[in-house]
Amino acid sequence: MALRDSPLWHLTMARLRSWLREPEVLFWSFGFPILLTIALGVAFRNRPPEAVTVLVEAGSGAESVAKALANDKQLTVLTVDHREAARQLRAGLAALSVDPGPPLTVRHDPTRPEARLAKLLVDNAIERSQGRRDVAAIANQTVDEPGARYVDFLVPGLIGMNLMQSGMWGVGYAIVEMRSKRLLRRMIATPMRKSDFLLSFLIMRLVFLLVELPVVLGTARLLFDVRIQGSLVAFVAVAVAGALAFVGLGLLVASRAKTTQAASGLMNLVQMPMFVGSGVFFSIKNFPEVAQPVLRLLPLTALNDGLRAVQNEGADLLGVLPQLAVLGGIGVVTLVLAVRIFRWD
Amino acid sequence: MDLAIDVEGLHKTWPPEVHAVRGLDLAVQSGECFGLLGPNGAGKTTTIEILEGLVTPSAGRVRVLGRDWAHDADAIRQRIGITLQHTYLSERLTVAEILAMFQSFYHSARAVDEVLAQVSLHEKRDSWFDRLSGGQKQRVAVACALVGDPELLFLDEPTTGLDPQSRRQLWDVIADFKARGRTVLLTTHYMDEAERLCDRVAIVDHGQVIALGRPRDLIAEHVGGIVLNLTTDQPVAIERLQAVATASRTRVDGCQAHLTVENLAAAVPSLLTELGQAGIVLQEMQTHQPTLEDVFVTLTGRHLRD
C-alpha cells in the first residue's frame, strides 16, 4: 500500500491539519516562546557597568574638584549646595559627597558597596589630578562569553517548557475532547488499528519539534547570539526523548478522563511541580540539597538539564546519556501504561 | 435467505442496575430495511450498539453477517457502516479529508467523490466540517458509514433534529443503498420514517420486542379501520362507545375518548345518537388512518414520545 493511502498517513495528516488550522494553537506553540525569549532576554541582558553618582558641594575649589572627578568616566558628577548634598545622600540618590574644604572631606556610608566603590574612584581621581603616578601597569580584559549569560540559561528552559506544555495539551486535550464528543467511539467502530491512531500523535509531535526547534533557536541566535556549543545531534536527541516523554504523560493523563475539565485539572496537577521545580527560569540548585535527586527525576528537569548541557557546556551524546535514560524511561513506561488503561468510549 | 443479524435472548444491564435490554430476539434478513421503533429509553440504542460491537452484552447470542464479535471483530468491522446518534467529526478538517481518512481504514472502499455525490455534498467537499449545517453534517456522517462499501448499515436515529428537506434527502440515500440489495438496520421514533423506509419493524418497549412485522400488517392486526379521537364536555361511559356501529378498541381518558371503527359512514351517525341520548356535547372530533403510533398506543397505552 502506498504511504499516502495508509491509515497512519491520513490519521497523522488529520492531526497536523487540525493543529495548523487553529491560529491560537499556533500562537501558543511558536509566538509565545519567542515573545518570552525576547522579553526575558532583554530584561536580564548584561548591561555595561553604570556610572556612580557623586556630589561636589558648592564653594571655593569646588570647580577644580568637579573637573578632576569628571575625568573618570565611571563617575557622574553633580555640584549642589551643602543642604541639598546632605538630602541626596540620605535619600540614597548619590553614593558620596565631596566637601572641597579645606580640608577636603569625603562623606559616605561605608556599609553601602556603591559608596565604597565611589570612595575608591574619588580618592584615585583626586590623587591623580594632583600629580600621582601609577607604579604598576595592569592590562584589562573584559569577560562576556556566550554560554554564561542568563539568556543562554533561559532558552533551553523555554524550549523544554514548551515541549512539555504543547506536548501534554496537544495530545491530552485533543484525545479527551475526541472522547467526550464520542469521536473516539466512532473511530473504533471502523477497522482502524488503535496503534495507528496513537502513533499518529507521536508523529505529530515529532513534526512539531522539527518546526519549533529551528524557529526558537533561530530567534535566540539572531537576537542574542545564543549558540549550541555541543553536538547538534545530542541536542535533537534530548528534544526527541523529551517529546516522547511528554506524549506518554499526555496520553496517560488523557487515558481515562471523560471531560476536558477533568483532563485540564489533571494536566495542571502534573505540570505545576515541573514549572516550579524543573529549572525553567532559575537553577534547581536554589532548592535544598535533599530535594535535588527527586527533582532530577522529573521529566522536565532531565529535559532542561540535557538541553543546557549540550547548549552551554558543549556536551555530546555520551554526556547526556543520564538525561536520555530518564526521558526514554518515562516515555516508555507512560506509553505502555496509557495504552493498557486507555478508555476508548 | 441469509440472516444479516441474528439475536437471541439479548440482555444488557448497566451498573448499578439499569436493565436496558431484557431478553430481546431479532432476525434481520439480508437485503431488508429493518426498523427498531420505540420511545426514548426503550433500549434501542443499547441494542444497536451491541450489534455494532461497541457494547458488550450481559447475556445472549449475537451474530452479525454470520459472525461473532468475540472472534471476528475485524472482519465484521470491514463489512459494516455505522452512524452514531450524534456524530461529531474533526471541526477543522474538510469533508473530503474526513472521508479519505475513513476510506483508508477499509480494504475495499468506494471513491470519496462518488460517495459525496450520493449524499449530494459534492459542492461542500472542501468545506470545514464546522461550517456545515446540521443536515449536511448528518449526511457527512452517513457518507463516512458508506465509504467502506458496507453490506450492512446501522443508523441510530439518522434524522432526529433535521429539517424536512434534509430528512427526505437522507431517506433517498437509504432507499438507494437498499436498492443495491444491502441491509439496513435503523432506529427511529418517527413513525412516518419507519412506514416509508422499513420492510419490517420491531416495536421495542422496556428492552423487549413487543410487536414485529411489516408496518401495514402491524397496523391491520393491532388497529385496523379508522381511528376516531373525540373531545367531549363530560366523560363518556365506555358502554356508549362500545354500542357505536362497527366500533372496536374503545378507550376513555377523562374528556378524551378514542375508538376504532370499520365503517366511518355507519359509525358517525350512531356515535352522535349515543352521545345525544346521554346529553353529552361533542366538542371536537378527529379521524385518521391508523399509524404505527396507534399500534404502540394500543399495545402500551402510552404515546411514543411521552
Side-chain angles (χ1 to χ4, degrees), chain A residues 127-150:
Chain A
E127 284 183 13
R128 269 192 190 180
S129 73
Q130 295 184 358
R132 193 196 75 189
R133 291 279 164 271
D134 292 338
V135 291
I138 300 166
N140 262 332
Q141 197 176 358
T142 314
V143 179
D144 181 16
E145 246 180 84
R149 302 162 304 167
Y150 181 63

Side-chain angles (χ1 to χ4, degrees), chain A residues 47-343:
Chain A
R47 297 185 191 90
E50 258 179 55
V52 185
T53 304
V54 296
L55 306 172
V56 177
E57 292 176 17
S60 65
E63 201 173 321
S64 67
V65 170
K67 202 170 159 192
L69 296 181
N71 277 333
D72 193 327
K73 295 286 172 255
Q74 298 178 66
L75 293 174
T76 304
V77 185
L78 296 173
T79 304
V80 295
D81 67 24
H82 176 73
R83 286 184 52 192
E84 175 63 12
R87 188 190 72 79
Q88 291 205 14
L89 268 189
R90 272 201 311 277
L93 298 171
L96 166 156
S97 118
V98 182
D99 177 355
L104 188 118
T105 309
V106 169
R107 291 194 187 90
H108 76 298
D109 171 4
T111 62
R112 288 178 58 199
E114 206 190 13
R116 288 209 300 274
L117 170 67
K119 171 82 162 58
L120 285 175
L121 294 172
V122 166
D123 287 355
N124 193 37
I126 292 174
E127 284 183 13
R128 269 192 190 180
S129 73
Q130 295 184 358
R132 193 196 75 189
R133 291 279 164 271
D134 292 338
V135 291
I138 300 166
N140 262 332
Q141 197 176 358
T142 314
V143 179
D144 181 16
E145 246 180 84
R149 302 162 304 167
Y150 181 63
V151 71
D152 297 306
F153 178 84
L154 183 66
V155 166
L158 287 181
I159 291 177
M161 182 183 77
N162 204 35
L163 281 179
M164 170 176 82
Q165 283 203 284
S166 59
M168 292 196 62
W169 288 103
V171 174
Y173 197 86
I175 284 184
V176 175
E177 189 175 36
M178 288 170 88
R179 181 184 294 121
S180 71
K181 294 185 173 171
R182 309 196 114 198
L183 181 49
L184 280 188
R185 192 185 187 80
R186 178 66 188 90
M187 303 290 276
I188 56 156
T190 71
M192 177 192 76
R193 282 160 57 180
K194 292 172 182 172
S195 56
D196 281 349
F197 178 80
L198 297 176
L199 205 54
S200 70
F201 281 89
L202 188 59
I203 297 174
M204 186 267 271
R205 293 301 305 158
L206 295 180
V207 173
F208 170 85
L209 202 62
L210 285 182
V211 186
E212 194 215 1
L213 281 186
V215 168
V216 175
L217 287 175
T219 312
R221 170 84 181 259
L222 218 62
L223 295 179
F224 301 107
D225 197 32
V226 170
R227 287 162 192 265
I228 295 176
Q229 315 281 335
S231 124
L232 189 63
V233 174
F235 196 85
V236 173
V238 173
V240 167
L244 175 77
F246 287 115
V247 168
L249 267 177
L251 272 182
L252 190 59
V253 164
S255 59
R256 298 193 77 77
K258 279 183 172 168
T259 64
T260 49
Q261 288 92 327
S264 300
L266 268 177
M267 242 166 321
N268 285 327
L269 193 69
V270 172
Q271 292 188 2
M272 194 50 75
M274 291 194 270
F275 273 127
V276 179
S278 285
V280 173
F281 299 102
F282 56 87
S283 168
I284 66 165
K285 299 208 170 71
N286 290 311
F287 288 103
E289 200 72 38
V290 289
Q292 299 204 6
V294 182
L295 294 179
R296 284 192 198 286
L297 285 178
L298 293 176
L300 185 55
T301 316
L303 178 55
N304 288 344
D305 283 356
L307 293 177
R308 279 186 187 128
V310 178
Q311 188 192 290
N312 297 333
E313 292 154 35
D316 57 9
L317 213 46
L318 230 61
V320 289
L321 226 47
Q323 285 87 4
L324 286 176
V326 169
L327 293 172
I330 289 172
V332 169
V333 169
T334 49
L335 277 174
V336 168
L337 208 60
V339 170
R340 283 245 172 126
I341 66 170
F342 201 85
R343 194 204 302 265

Side-chain angles (χ1 to χ4, degrees), chain B residues 115-133:
Chain B
V115 176
L116 281 179
Q118 193 188 347
V119 298
S120 315
L121 273 179
H122 214 268
E123 288 164 29
K124 294 286 175 185
R125 74 183 304 282
D126 296 318
S127 299
W128 288 0
F129 184 73
D130 67 350
R131 306 269 163 91
L132 302 180
S133 71

Side-chain angles (χ1 to χ4, degrees), chain A residues 1 5-8 10-11 13-15 17-18 21-24 177-178 181-183 185-194 345, chain B residues 49 52 54-55 74 77-78 80-84 86-94 97 100-102 104-106 128 141 144-145:
Chain A
M1 187 169 11
D5 296 327
S6 73
L8 186 56
H10 282 279
L11 286 165
M13 289 307 288
R15 304 274 17 106
R17 285 173 175 137
S18 297
R21 290 171 188 175
E22 295 276 4
E24 51 277 43
E177 189 175 36
M178 288 170 88
K181 294 185 173 171
R182 309 196 114 198
L183 181 49
R185 192 185 187 80
R186 178 66 188 90
M187 303 290 276
I188 56 156
T190 71
M192 177 192 76
R193 282 160 57 180
K194 292 172 182 172
D345 68 275
Chain B
E49 292 193 342
E52 292 164 350
L54 291 170
V55 171
D74 285 337
R77 286 199 187 99
Q78 283 288 352
I80 64 170
I82 77 160
T83 65
L84 299 176
H86 304 282
T87 301
Y88 163 87
L89 294 160
S90 305
E91 292 169 358
R92 296 293 165 100
L93 295 184
T94 69
E97 286 163 356
M101 181 177 76
F102 275 88
S104 74
F105 303 148
Y106 295 89
W128 288 0
C144 288

